[in-house]
Amino acid sequence: MAKQTVDIVTEVSMQDAAAHFRRAMRVSWFSENITGAGTIFEEPRGSVFDNLNQDPPDFAVVAVLGGRGAEIQKSAVHMYVWDRRGRREITLGVARNLGALGFKAKSKIRRFVAALEEIDPSVKYTGL
């Protein structure tokens, strides 16, 4: 996970948060269908130390943002969600390869937060 994170508290369900994350992380139709630089969603890689975590997330996903086929230009947005009785705590972080500046990932995080704000006016976030 990246050093700088975006932390969000929302009343949106975990399923709705995941659906909005998926939509927000998608790249353009052209990039996905013509250049093959689409977004790939995968589970975060585990660690042998994961079982030491006293508060594991209830849901986790990584959106790997395409870099036009060049591995060095790819970045990834990690999302971890905890279900806390009536509210969800979400942490987003950006991991990027050497040639990626992270601009695309940050704009996609802003898009995700804006989507949450539209359906939950009480959403709170830090780190943007």
Side-chain angles (χ1 to χ4, degrees):
M1 173 75 96
K3 291 178 183 174
Q4 183 180 1
T5 61
V6 175
D7 296 307
I8 303 166
V9 176
T10 182
E11 294 177 3
V12 171
S13 72
M14 203 166 7
Q15 291 79 6
D16 286 343
H20 284 288
F21 181 79
R22 179 182 287 179
R23 279 192 291 278
M25 296 301 131
R26 300 294 300 263
V27 294
S28 71
W29 180 91
F30 181 81
S31 291
E32 284 188 356
N33 296 290
I34 304 300
T35 68
T39 301
I40 299 168
F41 296 94
E42 43 187 58
E43 290 186 51
R45 291 189 187 127
S47 165
V48 296
F49 298 103
D50 285 350
N51 61 353
L52 297 176
N53 188 349
Q54 297 300 313
D55 189 19
D58 295 301
F59 176 73
V61 65
V62 177
V64 180
L65 308 176
R68 302 237 185 265
E71 200 64 34
I72 196 169
Q73 295 176 348
K74 291 183 178 181
S75 56
V77 179
H78 294 242
M79 179 172 86
Y80 300 92
V81 184
W82 290 265
D83 195 1
R84 307 279 197 216
R85 293 186 188 161
R87 74 184 198 311
R88 260 51 59 213
E89 293 175 4
I90 302 171
T91 297
L92 303 174
V94 176
R96 57 189 181 86
N97 286 343
L98 186 61
L101 299 175
F103 296 130
K104 185 188 305 184
K106 289 176 185 174
S107 73
K108 299 217 176 287
I109 288 174
R110 285 189 201 94
R111 184 189 306 178
F112 173 66
V113 171
L116 290 179
E117 286 179 313
E118 285 183 23
I119 59 173
D120 178 12
S122 69
V123 71
K124 294 178 178 58
Y125 59 89
T126 60
L128 268 183

